[in-house]
Amino acid sequence: MSSSDQLQRVIFDEADIRSVLAGLEQSYQQAIAKHNYPALINVLLGEMMAAVSLLSATLKFDGRLLLQAQSNNQVKVLMAECNHQRDLRAIARFDGELPEQAGFCELLQGGQLVITIEPDQGKRYQGVVPLEGKRLSDCLEAYFNLSEQLPTQIHLAADEQRAAGFLLQVMPAKGDSMADWEHFSCLGATLSDAELLQLDNETIIHRLFHEEKCRLYDPESLQFKCDCSRKRTADALRSMTQEELEEIVREEGSIDVSCQFCNEVYHFDLADIAMMFSDSANIEGSDKLH
């Protein structure tokens, strides 16, 4: 998969249709390496990461997009997020031993899929759809068809080493887009998981749409990166009073806060707590990201 860790847009010159391809390899492996998830969860998180990468291509502003599937069943949460800089991270929460094989919607039966858009400037937007169908792709297609009224086709695949996604969608433009859609969606439906995981973007587009005129835009790099930091962790701790935090330190020896996404642990002692509430609060290493 030569198009690994890349997001690439495709525009068709003679149709009101657009496409996006996402391939993840190192970024995917780094995300799941931070945890000891079973194979089934790794695969599902790979699909989530590929999906949120595709959806991030629709962002026209600085911010982040979060994709979260949640239920009251054995699998509680599957979550992935991507920002405008194409930084990715993902996490899962589940109880007990999982089956070796099970479908996305089967594991989260009765749950919901939440799509959250958080612009750096402006209002937060959230869309919710029920988890219906068999795969995550079914739920996302339903979201676009119903909420955005944009006919959409999505393919997602992951195998613990690689994850990939393909989006085909009608553009909100003048013209006979629905006639185009019937033609393009039939071609897109022939894409297999193996092709999506193993072939580069140019080969995929050529195999599917070799009779169509199209333009592949320059690819954008995708990477695993967690935006947690010592400063942000300290800011969160300030929701408690200085006295409450100092009492915890006296009882436990220190306050240790672990990031759920990357497992980085931040330690705070009495001196740190005092600095947090001083007029010149500046915890050492506060600006460091990893």
Side-chain angles (χ1 to χ4, degrees), residues 190-210:
T190 64
L191 180 64
S192 69
D193 287 358
E195 288 174 324
L196 186 56
L197 286 172
Q198 296 171 9
L199 301 180
D200 63 87
N201 293 346
E202 290 189 5
T203 301
I204 290 175
I205 294 300
H206 178 73
R207 283 195 178 189
L208 294 177
F209 310 111
H210 59 275

Side-chain angles (χ1 to χ4, degrees), residues 20 23 27 74 83 109 114 116 122 124 133 174 185 208 259 267 272 281 285:
V20 184
S27 55
Q74 194 173 1
N83 62 22
Q109 188 173 13
V114 182
T116 305
R124 182 173 180 262
K174 296 180 180 180
S185 61
L208 294 177
C259 174
H267 305 278
D272 294 325

Side-chain angles (χ1 to χ4, degrees), residues 97-137:
E97 187 173 347
L98 299 175
E100 291 186 6
Q101 292 185 342
F104 179 86
C105 291
E106 178 184 354
L107 284 174
L108 295 109
Q109 188 173 13
Q112 60 184 12
L113 185 68
V114 182
I115 300 171
T116 305
I117 298 173
E118 295 183 347
D120 290 345
Q121 302 291 330
K123 293 183 178 181
R124 182 173 180 262
Y125 168 81
Q126 192 168 77
V128 181
V129 291
L131 290 176
E132 297 177 348
K134 293 183 179 181
R135 305 184 64 172
L136 170 61
S137 56

